[in-house]
């Protein structure tokens, strides 16, 4: 399902979904096709996002696009 369709079905609310297709640039991922799991209440949105795994996200439908910042090579440095 395209993000525009999700916005029409669930106007102005948080939605939990699984990413089906996205395009990645150097530091961001633009998600354009999703499989909706269901709406999420405002009170539980942060908790649901923190408990999300793999390609599952929570996002608000007031946003025109789903854009996720990509951080690469994140790690700990250790002196030997």
């Amino acid at each position: 399902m395209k993000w525009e369709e999700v916005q029409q079905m669930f106007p102005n609310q948080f939605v939990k979904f699984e990413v089906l297709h996205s395009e990645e640039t150097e530091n961001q991922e633009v998600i354009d096709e999703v499989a909706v799991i269901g709406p999420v209440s405002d009170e539980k949105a942060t908790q649901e996002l923190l408990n999300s795994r793999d390609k599952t996200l929570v996002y608000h439908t007031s946003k025109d696009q789903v854009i996720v910042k990509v951080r690469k090579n994140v790690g700990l440095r250790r002196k030997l």
Side-chain angles (χ1 to χ4, degrees):
M1 176 179 290
K2 297 289 185 187
W3 181 244
E4 294 81 19
E5 296 173 48
V6 176
Q7 289 177 302
Q8 291 173 359
M9 290 179 65
F10 304 99
N12 202 28
Q13 58 186 304
F14 286 99
V15 177
K16 185 173 185 176
F17 58 86
E18 185 174 343
V19 177
L20 296 179
H21 183 264
S22 63
E23 304 221 359
E24 191 172 325
T25 61
E26 55 191 56
N27 63 348
Q28 66 184 11
E29 184 176 4
V30 179
I31 299 165
D32 54 2
E33 195 165 340
V34 299
V36 176
I37 297 171
V40 178
S41 67
D42 292 349
E43 295 82 22
K44 294 186 179 186
T46 302
Q47 181 182 8
E48 285 287 333
L49 180 60
L50 292 174
N51 292 332
S52 296
R53 299 285 182 247
D54 299 326
K55 292 283 192 173
T56 305
L57 293 174
V58 176
Y59 213 75
H60 201 274
T61 56
S62 65
K63 306 293 183 183
D64 291 333
Q65 288 183 314
V66 181
I67 300 176
V68 179
K69 290 183 181 179
V70 177
R71 296 190 325 179
K72 295 184 179 184
N73 299 329
V74 177
L76 298 174
R77 294 180 185 223
R78 186 173 105 179
K79 189 174 182 180
L80 298 176

